[in-house]
Amino acid sequence: MTLPTEEGPRGVSPTAALYSIIGFWFFYAILISVRALVVGFDYQGEMAARRAVVTLIGIIVTWILYLAIRRFDAKPLAVRIVAAFSLAAPFALAMAVANYYVFNIYDPMGMFPDMDQQKYEAQSHALIYIVDDAVSRYFFLSAWAGLYLGLSYASEAHRTERRAARLERAAQQAELRSLRYQVNPHFLFNTLNSLSSLVMKDRRDEAEQMIMSLSNFYRTSLTGDPLDDVQLEEEVHLQKLYLDIEAVRFPDRLATRIDIPADLLTACVPGLILQPLVENAIKYGVSRTSSPVAITIRAREEHGLLHLTVADNGDKPPSAGDGGSGIGLANVRDRLSARFGDQGRIDYGPQAEGGFAVNLFLPLNRRGC
């Protein structure tokens, strides 16, 4: 039977079934009418009227057959095939009886006025006629049952596709949530290490300032859904809050530069997509050197893509031996891939003028965030 699910109703809808039934019987009426004209039967008007009645009865009988067959929609295909072609037999017999009554029992003299009633009855062989007609109508109803099975199979295939698409979206959303939630614990771990360092050095004012900045950062970053995009302006604001935290650790070594055109501030980006990149710039660009280091966040539009860059000019960029925790660049790469597919990518490496740069490329979108 037709059951509503999240992937849509199972089997063929009543509307589609009714259209197919009417189409089949309309084709039948046209074909038989043309045959009667070609053969040259008499009393075409009377036959056409009775044929219309038989066609209407056929539509009703086939609709009842549909109601019977669709009860097997949840069964295996083999069971549905056997049920469809088995149920077609009694309905074909019912149609043959109805056809015999309309053309042979009901007012036969109205269609054959020149034939004596007794002679007509004597020439009638009801059982043979009905069985022969039932066989013909069985193949007709079997053809419709085959069409129904085909439509039902197509409907099931579409349901399977919709289910697969829904599960794929759910898996993608789960992956995005997982990747997004990796960022906060990783960031918190690094920040608490910095806070611990300040406490150990009895730098209470700086520690208090860091705690307030940490509170502001989490209050801002945790308000939105991890699947929602944010405007680039908001994402950069979060990174400024984080850099304010790190500036307490490195008051004389950390400088920040933001180079983003005003028309790109409203571009949509995944929330905290820059966070691991800024953390890496702190970890490898600032903390490893005693010289002043500038961290630059840039944005450009290139061929319909948003090009984001996080770069530093530290003198000890990460090397192949820096394995790290695997969360930083891998997290960003996986989030871009899950969110944008082939349209999102990341590349990184040392800069010719010194330091290290990470470049993100993602579709430029200014709506929906």
Side-chain angles (χ1 to χ4, degrees), residues 18-150:
L18 182 60
Y19 284 155
S20 70
I21 292 170
I22 293 175
F24 250 68
W25 280 102
F26 180 77
F27 175 76
Y28 160 82
I30 295 296
L31 186 63
I32 296 300
S33 298
V34 171
R35 175 178 174 273
L37 288 173
V38 172
V39 173
F41 289 148
D42 295 329
Y43 311 108
Q44 290 290 335
E46 179 67 21
M47 293 184 68
R50 299 189 184 211
R51 193 177 300 118
V53 173
V54 171
T55 300
L56 179 59
I57 294 174
I59 292 174
I60 296 173
V61 168
T62 311
W63 176 257
I64 298 173
L65 175 61
Y66 158 71
L67 296 178
I69 293 177
R70 74 171 188 164
R71 293 180 176 274
F72 295 87
D73 282 344
K75 303 294 183 181
L77 181 60
V79 175
R80 292 160 62 191
I81 292 174
V82 172
F85 291 111
S86 298
L87 289 171
F91 285 95
L93 181 61
M95 275 302 307
V97 171
N99 185 75
Y100 181 78
Y101 175 82
V102 171
F103 280 94
N104 297 273
I105 302 299
Y106 175 77
D107 190 19
M109 301 306 294
M111 192 167 59
F112 303 105
D114 298 331
M115 181 177 291
D116 180 76
Q117 176 69 20
Q118 293 182 350
K119 182 179 179 181
Y120 175 83
E121 292 177 353
Q123 291 177 346
S124 298
H125 301 282
L127 183 59
I128 296 176
Y129 180 91
I130 291 174
V131 170
D132 181 68
D133 191 39
V135 172
S136 299
R137 295 185 185 279
Y138 173 77
F139 286 105
F140 180 85
L141 291 179
S142 294
W144 178 85
L147 173 64
Y148 175 83
L149 290 174

Side-chain angles (χ1 to χ4, degrees), residues 227-231 266 268-269 339 365-369:
L227 297 180
D228 290 342
D229 290 342
V230 299
Q231 290 189 348
T266 57
C268 299
V269 298
R339 177 69 173 78
N365 174 30
R366 292 186 173 88
R367 297 181 180 180
C369 60

Side-chain angles (χ1 to χ4, degrees), residues 107-357:
D107 190 19
M109 301 306 294
M111 192 167 59
F112 303 105
D114 298 331
M115 181 177 291
D116 180 76
Q117 176 69 20
Q118 293 182 350
K119 182 179 179 181
Y120 175 83
E121 292 177 353
Q123 291 177 346
S124 298
H125 301 282
L127 183 59
I128 296 176
Y129 180 91
I130 291 174
V131 170
D132 181 68
D133 191 39
V135 172
S136 299
R137 295 185 185 279
Y138 173 77
F139 286 105
F140 180 85
L141 291 179
S142 294
W144 178 85
L147 173 64
Y148 175 83
L149 290 174
L151 294 174
S152 180
Y153 181 82
S155 175
E156 190 66 25
H158 289 154
R159 289 183 71 256
T160 301
E161 291 176 359
R162 289 191 292 269
R163 185 188 305 116
R166 182 175 62 83
L167 292 176
E168 183 178 358
R169 288 194 300 271
Q172 182 189 51
Q173 291 176 354
E175 180 181 7
L176 287 171
R177 283 192 174 95
S178 174
L179 292 170
R180 168 65 170 76
Y181 286 139
Q182 282 182 357
V183 175
N184 281 331
H186 187 248
F187 159 73
L188 181 60
F189 174 79
N190 288 343
T191 305
L192 291 179
N193 275 345
S194 302
L195 185 60
S196 174
S197 176
L198 293 177
V199 172
M200 293 293 293
K201 295 178 181 179
D202 199 27
R203 296 165 59 180
R204 299 179 182 180
D205 292 340
E206 290 92 336
E208 181 179 359
Q209 181 181 345
M210 179 177 285
I211 291 173
M212 293 301 298
S213 297
L214 180 63
S215 174
N216 290 334
F217 178 88
Y218 269 100
R219 183 170 58 251
T220 304
S221 65
L222 294 178
T223 54
D225 190 304
L227 297 180
D228 290 342
D229 290 342
V230 299
Q231 290 189 348
L232 181 57
E233 182 177 22
E234 180 180 343
E235 174 68 8
V236 172
H237 174 67
L238 283 174
Q239 302 317 309
K240 287 180 179 178
L241 290 177
Y242 170 69
L243 289 169
D244 287 342
I245 295 172
E246 294 297 343
V248 177
R249 287 179 62 199
F250 309 106
D252 301 323
R253 304 210 312 259
L254 176 59
T256 301
R257 298 172 184 169
I258 307 297
D259 180 14
I260 300 177
D263 62 324
L264 292 181
L265 290 175
T266 57
C268 299
V269 298
L272 293 183
I273 194 66
L274 297 179
Q275 182 62 39
L277 310 185
V278 175
E279 285 189 49
N280 278 355
I282 294 291
K283 179 178 179 180
Y284 297 109
V286 179
S287 63
R288 286 183 169 186
T289 180
S290 57
S291 304
V293 175
I295 294 179
T296 303
I297 301 176
R298 292 192 298 267
R300 296 287 183 273
E301 179 181 354
E302 295 184 5
H303 309 295
L305 295 176
L306 177 63
H307 177 192
L308 299 174
T309 300
V310 175
D312 68 79
N313 58 357
D315 55 12
K316 296 180 180 179
S319 62
D322 294 312
S325 64
I327 290 179
L329 298 181
N331 178 282
V332 174
R333 179 199 62 216
D334 292 343
R335 290 181 68 191
L336 289 177
S337 177
R339 177 69 173 78
F340 302 109
D342 295 338
Q343 292 184 296
R345 62 184 178 90
I346 179 174
D347 64 51
Y348 48 86
Q351 301 184 93
E353 64 275 17
F356 195 83

